[in-house]
Amino acid sequence: MPQPTPTPQVVGMASWYGPGFHGHHAAAGGIYDEEDLTAASIAFPLGSRVMVTNLDNGRSVEVTITDRGPFLKGRKIDLSHKAARMIGMLDTGTARVRITLISKPTGTRDVGAPLRYWVQVGSFSNQQNAEQVRSKLIASYADVHVVDVLDADHRRYYRVRMGAFATRSAAEARASDSARFGFPVVIITE
């Protein structure tokens, strides 16, 4: 009988972010609101739902990964102000936590897998516009995809991406080559 696959977990330090980022765009496309139950992490794909448990007091909160970060060595997740308050880490600013995956968007990388790089050449609210851009690029590149994204405000976007690339330098080379088409080019990590 096959063994069940264990639920991916990460143990490490959490911090929280709030006032300086409140109202700014998050990597998932929405606007960061410090009173939403969200977080930033590079350990989990954007759109993942995770349970964060403070190992000092046992309190837990479920959050959605909507942004990239934290960018301080040794930190695994940056919680929103509200999420940090719910697990009792506002005063200390950091806490040792266990982060357990609840769900992740279909087609995203596995937890613990290395980051992948994508070249994004447009984000559209109209799927037909995205498909037109894809059609222009597919003549030159075989790895052009339209990715359907629902942002935190429940708005649907269609992003035209090429890749995935294992290294940033490979993505930069593609971005440089594809700039000739005149589309805005952004390198995305996931």
Side-chain angles (χ1 to χ4, degrees), residues 25 55 68 117 133:
H25 286 276
L55 295 176
R68 295 276 170 237
Y117 299 88
V133 170

mmCIF file of all heavy atoms in Angstrom, residues 25 55 68 117 133:
data_model
loop_
_atom_site.group_PDB
_atom_site.id
_atom_site.type_symbol
_atom_site.label_atom_id
_atom_site.label_comp_id
_atom_site.label_asym_id
_atom_site.label_seq_id
_atom_site.Cartn_x
_atom_site.Cartn_y
_atom_site.Cartn_z
ATOM 1 N N HIS A 25 1.356 47.760 -4.300
ATOM 2 C CA HIS A 25 1.048 46.550 -5.079
ATOM 3 C C HIS A 25 1.829 45.367 -4.535
ATOM 4 O O HIS A 25 3.005 45.484 -4.213
ATOM 5 C CB HIS A 25 1.387 46.734 -6.561
ATOM 6 C CG HIS A 25 0.413 47.612 -7.280
ATOM 7 N ND1 HIS A 25 -0.761 47.129 -7.798
ATOM 8 C CD2 HIS A 25 0.427 48.931 -7.537
ATOM 9 C CE1 HIS A 25 -1.427 48.122 -8.351
ATOM 10 N NE2 HIS A 25 -0.722 49.232 -8.205
ATOM 11 N N LEU A 55 5.362 28.777 17.332
ATOM 12 C CA LEU A 55 5.827 27.642 18.126
ATOM 13 C C LEU A 55 6.038 27.994 19.598
ATOM 14 O O LEU A 55 6.156 27.100 20.427
ATOM 15 C CB LEU A 55 7.103 27.063 17.514
ATOM 16 C CG LEU A 55 6.913 26.452 16.113
ATOM 17 C CD1 LEU A 55 8.241 25.991 15.541
ATOM 18 C CD2 LEU A 55 5.903 25.323 16.133
ATOM 19 N N ARG A 68 6.136 38.466 -2.430
ATOM 20 C CA ARG A 68 7.468 37.878 -2.319
ATOM 21 C C ARG A 68 8.177 38.460 -1.110
ATOM 22 O O ARG A 68 8.034 39.629 -0.814
ATOM 23 C CB ARG A 68 8.290 38.163 -3.566
ATOM 24 C CG ARG A 68 7.716 37.497 -4.770
ATOM 25 C CD ARG A 68 8.210 36.066 -4.809
ATOM 26 N NE ARG A 68 7.503 35.325 -5.816
ATOM 27 C CZ ARG A 68 6.823 34.225 -5.569
ATOM 28 N NH1 ARG A 68 6.739 33.746 -4.373
ATOM 29 N NH2 ARG A 68 6.222 33.593 -6.525
ATOM 30 N N TYR A 117 12.084 31.150 -13.125
ATOM 31 C CA TYR A 117 11.985 32.503 -13.652
ATOM 32 C C TYR A 117 11.134 32.475 -14.916
ATOM 33 O O TYR A 117 11.229 31.555 -15.727
ATOM 34 C CB TYR A 117 13.383 33.054 -13.977
ATOM 35 C CG TYR A 117 14.259 33.127 -12.755
ATOM 36 C CD1 TYR A 117 15.026 32.038 -12.368
ATOM 37 C CD2 TYR A 117 14.290 34.280 -11.977
ATOM 38 C CE1 TYR A 117 15.820 32.096 -11.232
ATOM 39 C CE2 TYR A 117 15.085 34.335 -10.843
ATOM 40 C CZ TYR A 117 15.844 33.245 -10.479
ATOM 41 O OH TYR A 117 16.616 33.303 -9.354
ATOM 42 N N VAL A 133 -1.348 38.566 -28.202
ATOM 43 C CA VAL A 133 0.078 38.725 -27.916
ATOM 44 C C VAL A 133 0.773 37.367 -27.953
ATOM 45 O O VAL A 133 1.848 37.218 -28.538
ATOM 46 C CB VAL A 133 0.298 39.433 -26.557
ATOM 47 C CG1 VAL A 133 1.766 39.380 -26.139
ATOM 48 C CG2 VAL A 133 -0.194 40.873 -26.616
#
